[in-house]
C-alpha cells in the first residue's frame, strides 16, 4: 500500500509518482476509471451509425451514435467470451459483428443476433447487450465518460473549466467545431502528468520557435517577453485540477483601440477575414471581436486528460508509468470561409503536429524528465515557484505565468483522487 499523502507536500512532490508501476495502476483505478474523462467530440460521430473507438487507460471504448441519434459509450468487449467487436478507428455501421463466433450488436449496443441459438437452453438477448460506461456527459460538444456509477456531475467536475470549453467553440458563428481535419498521434517514453500547462519552460524548451519568430519579426521582436517573471501573463488554478495560462497580458492593452473589427479580433485583413467577422457579428453582435479573441486565447488543461490550446484539441492517454500517447486534432470551425480553417490547420502544423516546431521539443524534454527521475537518490521535485497565488472573485487562484500554479493545482487534485477524497467541488 502506497501512502500517498507522504508523496505530495505543498512545495514539492516525490518522483515515485512518475515512475512507479504500482502508483500507475492505482492512478488508472482511482482517476481514469472513476473520474469524468474526455472520450470524444460529437463531431467525430455526426451521423446515425457513426462510431469511433477510443481509449481510457487500458480499456477500449466504442463511442457510437445509434440510428435514433443517441450517443452511447460502450466497452469494446463481446458479451460472449469477451473479444473486441470493433477494431476500426472510425466508421459507420449498422452492426458490430464479433469476429470470434458471430454475435452481433446494433449501434445502440443491443445484442441482435446469436448464431445457431438452438444449442442454448435459454438465452435472454435483452440482458446481453454491450456494457455501457455508467455515466456520459456532454459540454460544448465534448463527450466525457465516467466509469463510476455515482459521483459529482460533469458540471460539478468541470466547474470553471466549462466556460473555457464554450469560449473555444464560439470561434464558430454557429458555436460548433468539428475534429474532421485528421489526427496527429505520438507516443512518448514519459509519464502522462508531464503534459500540463507550463509557462516557465517556453523560453528554454521552445528556443527553436522563438528563433523562427525572431527571424520573421525582425529586430523589434521582444523575444520571450511574455514568459518571464516580469510578464503580465498569468497562470491559473481553476479548481479540481483544471488549470490555464492567460497569455493575453500584453494584448489587453490593444483591445479597445481596434474595437469590434476583423483587425481588432486579430484575424486577417482579407475578404475572407471580413466575411468571417461579419458572420461573427451576425451571431454575437458587439461582442464578436471579444468572442474571437477569447477563443484564440484558450489555453486550458481540463483534468485529467484534455487540453484546448489555440486551435488545437489535445488528448492524453496514459499507457504505463513511463509511456503516454497524445492525440492532437486541429479544431475546424463550422460555417466559416475555408481559408479561415486552412489558417488554423497551418498554425496547428507549425506548433502542435508531430513534425512541428513545438511539440517535438516538448516530447524530447518529457523523455529527458523521465530519464532524470529514475535516478532517485534525492527523490523530490521542487514546485515552489509563486507559492501564494492570489484568489480572484470566481474562486480561481492566479499567479505569474512562470509560477507553478498549474503543477500544484494538478498535484493537489491528484492527491485528493488517490486518497479518495474526490473533487473539491
Ligand atoms: S467472443 Fe464474441 S461471439 Fe464469441
Ligand atoms: Fe511546450
Amino acid at each position: 500500500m502506497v501512502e500517498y499523502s507522504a508523496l505530495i507536500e505543498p512545495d514539492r512532490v516525490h518522483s515515485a509518482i512518475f515512475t512507479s508501476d504500482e502508483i500507475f495502476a492505482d492512478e488508472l483505478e482511482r482517476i481514469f476509471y472513476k473520474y469524468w474523462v474526455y472520450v470524444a467530440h460529437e463531431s467525430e460521430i455526426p451521423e446515425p451509425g457513426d462510431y469511433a473507438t477510443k481509449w481510457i487507460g487500458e480499456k477500449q471504448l466504442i463511442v457510437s451514435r445509434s440510428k435514433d441519434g443517441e450517443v452511447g459509450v460502450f466497452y469494446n468487449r463481446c458479451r460472449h467470451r469477451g473479444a473486441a467487436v470493433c477494431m476500426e478507428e472510425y466508421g459507420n455501421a449498422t452492426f458490430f459483428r464479433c469476429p470470434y463466433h458471430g454475435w452481433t450488436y446494433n449501434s445502440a449496443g443491443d445484442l441482435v443476433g446469436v448464431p445457431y441459438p438452438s444449442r442454448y437452453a435459454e438465452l435472454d438477448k435483452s440482458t446481453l447487450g454491450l456494457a455501457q460506461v455508467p455515466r456520459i456527459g456532454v459540454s460544448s460538444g465534448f463527450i466525457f465518460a465516467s466509469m463510476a456509477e455515482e459521483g459529482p456531475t460533469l458540471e460539478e467536475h468541470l466547474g470553471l473549466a466549462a466556460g473555457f470549453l464554450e469560449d473555444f467553440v464560439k470561434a464558430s458563428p454557429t458555436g460548433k467545431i468539428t475534429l474532421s481535419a485528421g489526427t496527429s498521434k505520438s507516443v512518448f517514453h514519459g509519464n502522462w502528468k508531464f503534459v500540463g500547462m507550463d509557462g516557465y519552460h517556453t523560453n528554454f524548451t521552445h528556443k527553436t520557435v522563438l528563433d523562427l519568430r525572431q527571424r520573421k519579426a525582425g529586430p523589434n521582436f521582444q523575444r520571450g517577453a511574455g514568459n518571464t517573471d516580469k510578464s503580465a501573463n498569468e497562470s491559473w488554478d481553476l479548481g479540481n485540477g483544471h488549470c490555464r495560462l492567460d497569455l493575453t497580458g500584453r494584448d489587453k492593452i490593444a483591445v479597445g483601440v481596434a474595437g469590434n473589427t476583423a483587425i481588432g479580433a486579430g484575424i486577417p485583413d482579407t475578404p475572407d477575414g471580413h466575411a468571417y467577422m461579419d458572420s461573427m457579428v451576425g451571431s454575437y453582435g458587439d461582442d464578436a471581436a471579444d468572442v474571437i479573441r477569447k477563443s484564440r486565447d484558450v489555453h486550458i488543461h481540463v483534468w485529467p486528460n484534455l487540453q484546448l490550446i489555440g486551435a488545437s484539441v489535445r488528448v492524453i492517454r496514459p499507457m504505463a508509468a513511463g509511456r503516454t500517447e497524445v492525440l492532437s486534432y486541429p479544431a475546424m470551425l463550422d460555417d466559416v470561409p475555408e481559408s479561415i480553417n486552412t489558417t488554423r490547420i497551418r498554425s496547428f502544423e507549425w506548433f502542435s503536429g508531430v513534425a512541428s516546431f513545438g511539440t517535438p521539443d516538448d516530447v524530447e524534454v518529457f523523455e529527458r524528465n523521465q530519464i532524470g527521475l529514475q535516478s532517485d537518490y534525492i527523490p523530490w521535485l521542487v514546485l515552489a515557484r509563486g507559492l501564494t497565488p492570489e484568489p480572484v472573485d470566481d474562486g480561481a487562484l492566479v499567479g505569474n505565468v512562470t509560477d507553478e500554479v498549474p503543477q500544484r493545482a494538478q498535484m493537489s487534485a491528484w492527491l485528493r483522487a488517490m486518497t479518495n477524497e474526490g473533487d473539491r467541488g
Side-chain angles (χ1 to χ4, degrees):
M1 271 281 284
V2 178
E3 197 191 326
Y4 283 102
S5 52
L7 300 177
I8 308 276
E9 295 188 8
D11 60 350
R12 59 184 198 165
V13 300
H14 193 288
S15 56
I17 69 171
F18 301 99
T19 55
S20 156
D21 294 337
E22 183 184 359
I23 292 175
F24 179 78
D26 281 354
E27 284 179 328
L28 289 184
E29 292 301 327
R30 297 179 195 185
I31 299 173
F32 285 90
Y33 301 159
K34 181 176 169 189
Y35 273 66
W36 287 104
V37 176
Y38 171 74
V39 288
H41 189 268
E42 283 183 335
S43 64
E44 294 178 89
I45 49 162
E47 301 297 330
D50 284 352
Y51 66 82
T53 50
K54 301 286 179 178
W55 293 88
I56 295 182
E58 293 171 338
K59 299 185 196 293
Q60 194 176 34
L61 306 171
I62 304 170
V63 184
S64 164
R65 193 178 289 279
S66 73
K67 73 175 184 351
D68 302 327
E70 292 290 313
V71 174
V73 181
F74 303 98
Y75 294 98
N76 191 6
R77 172 189 165 126
C78 178
R79 291 294 304 280
H80 178 219
R81 287 196 226 156
V85 300
C86 177
M87 295 309 286
E88 301 296 324
E89 197 172 357
Y90 292 104
N92 181 284
T94 313
F95 301 110
F96 300 110
R97 177 168 291 120
C98 181
Y100 209 166
H101 314 94
W103 284 29
T104 302
Y105 305 85
N106 66 18
S107 54
D110 305 317
L111 177 63
V112 292
V114 172
Y116 322 136
S118 67
R119 298 305 299 160
Y120 287 106
E122 59 181 278
L123 189 77
D124 181 358
K125 290 211 289 282
S126 72
T127 65
L128 290 168
L130 295 174
Q132 290 235 38
V133 173
R135 295 186 300 156
I136 303 173
V138 180
S139 181
S140 294
F142 295 89
I143 304 167
F144 294 80
S146 164
M147 295 185 187
E149 307 263 348
E150 290 175 1
T153 62
L154 176 61
E155 208 184 357
E156 287 165 339
H157 171 67
L158 291 178
L160 297 175
F164 294 96
L165 298 185
E166 199 182 334
D167 285 349
F168 186 81
V169 302
K170 278 168 79 178
S172 154
T174 64
K176 288 194 180 130
I177 58 159
T178 58
L179 304 189
S180 54
T183 317
S184 174
K185 302 176 188 172
S186 63
V187 173
F188 68 86
H189 296 281
N191 188 267
W192 66 276
K193 296 187 288 301
F194 296 151
V195 193
M197 294 276 112
D198 185 350
Y200 193 19
H201 80 303
T202 315
N203 290 351
F204 311 99
T205 306
H206 295 301
K207 179 179 178 299
T208 303
V209 165
L210 291 170
D211 287 348
L212 290 166
R213 285 205 175 123
Q214 183 150 32
R215 198 186 299 172
K216 231 171 158 183
N220 292 331
F221 183 60
Q222 288 191 302
R223 187 183 174 102
N227 306 100
T228 72
D229 55 351
K230 304 290 183 294
S231 166
N233 292 338
E234 295 164 338
S235 57
W236 287 53
D237 171 353
L238 299 168
N240 293 341
H242 314 312
C243 47
R244 67 181 282 251
L245 300 180
D246 184 336
L247 305 178
T248 66
R250 275 167 301 155
D251 293 356
K252 277 173 194 154
I253 303 158
V255 176
V257 181
N260 198 36
T261 64
I263 296 163
I267 53 180
D269 186 12
T270 61
D272 278 357
H274 289 283
Y276 171 44
M277 189 65 202
D278 289 346
S279 66
M280 290 297 280
V281 170
S283 297
Y284 304 111
D286 291 345
D287 294 333
D290 211 33
V291 167
I292 293 172
R293 296 168 51 79
K294 270 190 180 161
S295 165
R296 199 188 52 196
D297 293 328
V298 169
H299 202 293
I300 186 173
H301 187 120
V302 181
W303 199 73
N305 74 327
L306 172 66
Q307 295 188 339
L308 306 179
I309 299 175
S312 69
V313 174
R314 187 184 287 171
V315 186
I316 303 155
R317 177 193 165 206
M319 301 175 84
R323 197 151 48 97
T324 303
E325 181 179 52
V326 176
L327 302 180
S328 299
Y329 310 79
M332 299 292 90
L333 305 179
D334 182 44
D335 204 22
V336 301
E338 199 180 327
S339 70
I340 298 294
N341 277 330
T342 306
T343 304
R344 288 171 72 90
I345 296 176
R346 293 292 99 84
S347 89
F348 174 91
E349 289 165 345
W350 200 81
F351 193 92
S352 303
V354 282
S356 67
F357 297 110
T359 293
D361 286 333
D362 284 321
V363 166
E364 168 72 19
V365 104
F366 296 157
E367 297 198 339
R368 291 200 200 185
N369 210 163
Q370 194 75 19
I371 289 169
L373 293 178
Q374 287 162 17
S375 298
D376 57 356
Y377 177 59
I378 299 174
W380 294 95
L381 290 74
V382 182
L383 291 185
R385 275 188 81 79
L387 256 188
T388 50
E390 299 285 321
V392 290
D393 286 351
D394 51 11
L397 299 170
V398 182
N400 168 264
V401 68
T402 68
D403 287 355
E404 278 152 351
V405 171
Q407 285 70 27
R408 289 191 301 271
Q410 297 196 329
M411 291 313 349
S412 64
W414 185 88
L415 183 59
R416 284 193 299 277
M418 299 304 278
T419 52
N420 290 312
E421 285 175 24
D423 277 352
R424 190 158 81 194

